[in-house]
Amino acid sequence: MNTRKSLYDIKSFYDKKAVLKAGYGGMRYQIEQAADGEEICLVVTIWPEPFCFERTAEDKKKRKQFGYSEQGLDEAYQWLCDIYEEERVHWEHARDFPLDGVL
């Protein structure tokens, strides 16, 4: 998995409302600032290759919210690592056969 540093930090990246889009081994992911009512949080979305976020069907995406803090980013990174390992076969299949089920 990419390193924790690859998620940047709250102050220099997410405070500017930037959206991180990246991928690893067939799993794509996006991290963004969002509002949950009046509270700001981080939302992490994952989906399989080959398409970008905007072109991937909603039913292929999974989302999870985290606190808007460095600790929240640490927890998001750990979740990304865990979900990759738990579903490694799925992600590797998406990496090796990106158009399977699409054509």
Side-chain angles (χ1 to χ4, degrees), residues 1 10 20 23 27 32 38 40 63 65-66 68 73 81 91 95 102:
M1 186 64 202
I10 293 289
L20 175 69
M27 179 180 79
E32 62 188 318
E38 292 185 24
I40 297 174
R63 289 183 174 84
Q65 290 184 358
F66 297 90
Y68 192 73
L73 272 174
C81 291
W91 305 122
R95 178 195 66 207
V102 176

Side-chain angles (χ1 to χ4, degrees), residues 61-78:
K61 297 175 186 174
K62 291 182 185 177
R63 289 183 174 84
K64 188 165 181 174
Q65 290 184 358
F66 297 90
Y68 192 73
S69 64
E70 292 303 318
Q71 180 180 347
L73 272 174
D74 292 342
E75 292 168 2
Y77 175 73
Q78 189 58 54

Side-chain angles (χ1 to χ4, degrees), residues 3 8 11 26 37 40 56 66 99:
T3 67
Y8 303 112
K11 189 173 183 177
I40 297 174
T56 299
F66 297 90
L99 297 178

Side-chain angles (χ1 to χ4, degrees), residues 22-73:
Y24 181 82
M27 179 180 79
R28 298 211 175 180
Y29 58 92
Q30 172 176 296
I31 303 174
E32 62 188 318
Q33 181 192 107
D36 184 16
E38 292 185 24
E39 191 173 325
I40 297 174
C41 62
L42 291 168
V43 175
V44 180
T45 307
I46 59 171
W47 67 95
E49 289 185 357
F51 301 116
C52 67
F53 178 84
E54 294 79 10
R55 297 288 184 210
T56 299
E58 283 299 314
D59 66 335
K60 295 190 182 281
K61 297 175 186 174
K62 291 182 185 177
R63 289 183 174 84
K64 188 165 181 174
Q65 290 184 358
F66 297 90
Y68 192 73
S69 64
E70 292 303 318
Q71 180 180 347
L73 272 174

